[in-house]
Amino acid sequence: MKKIIIGSDHGGFELKKEVIAHLEKRGIEVTDVGTYSTESCNYPDYARALCKRIQSGEFERGILVCGTGIGISIAANKHNGIRAACCSDTFSARMTRMHNDANVLCFGGRVVGAGLACDMVDLFVDTEFEGGRHTDRVNMLAEIEKEN
Ligand code: RB5
């Protein structure tokens, strides 16, 4: 993966900075949709800004960070075609790529440390979707979107 998009609210801002530095060290170009300070802001705005650019095809995958990772993942999952996974362990970060073809990884700046966050990011970036029986299930997610 050559490029990735990232966003956060104030609760995820500090951790996001560490994740960006980690990704850039790996040679991955990072686009940051904000927020750019610890001033209080609203996580749905950043989920929306990031998801639109995945929906458009400009980016394949993204990372969202808020205080818990929960609010921003709920917001992201309101977007058609977005499969956002809120993770706080490496097993889930790997499996959500293999089984769910997750295109957005979320975590909480008040939940996980930088070491764990960067390990999860590496797995999210490096792990491919397994396909096979999981393809039908992922397609079923799109059907649910159509129904609603
Ligand atoms: C902000 O205080 C906090 O509510 C937000 O970062 C996130 O944790 C919401 O789910």
Side-chain angles (χ1 to χ4, degrees), residues 21-137:
H22 174 75
L23 285 162
E24 287 179 343
K25 215 164 133 190
R26 280 194 50 169
I28 297 172
E29 186 190 309
V30 184
T31 297
D32 182 5
V33 297
T35 189
Y36 304 113
S37 77
T38 53
E39 194 179 323
S40 184
C41 61
N42 303 313
Y43 58 83
D45 287 335
Y46 301 95
R48 181 188 284 115
L50 180 139
C51 290
K52 295 280 176 214
R53 293 174 73 173
I54 293 180
Q55 287 176 317
S56 73
E58 184 184 355
F59 291 90
E60 184 194 329
R61 287 180 220 168
I63 297 164
L64 287 169
V65 195
C66 68
T68 59
I70 297 171
I72 210 155
S73 63
I74 293 172
N77 279 317
K78 300 288 180 195
H79 296 79
N80 286 351
I82 298 298
R83 293 176 300 280
C86 182
C87 296
S88 51
D89 66 275
T90 50
F91 179 75
S92 300
R94 185 162 55 88
M95 293 308 288
T96 200
R97 282 291 312 131
M98 290 172 68
H99 285 192
N100 314 124
D101 198 14
N103 49 12
V104 178
L105 175 69
C106 305
F107 45 81
R110 299 169 185 156
V111 180
V112 300
L116 175 54
C118 293
D119 281 355
M120 291 195 295
V121 164
D122 285 342
L123 288 162
F124 177 69
V125 164
D126 296 335
T127 306
E128 289 310 313
F129 179 46
E130 219 174 66
R133 68 187 187 281
H134 302 294
T135 303
D136 295 340
R137 295 167 185 163

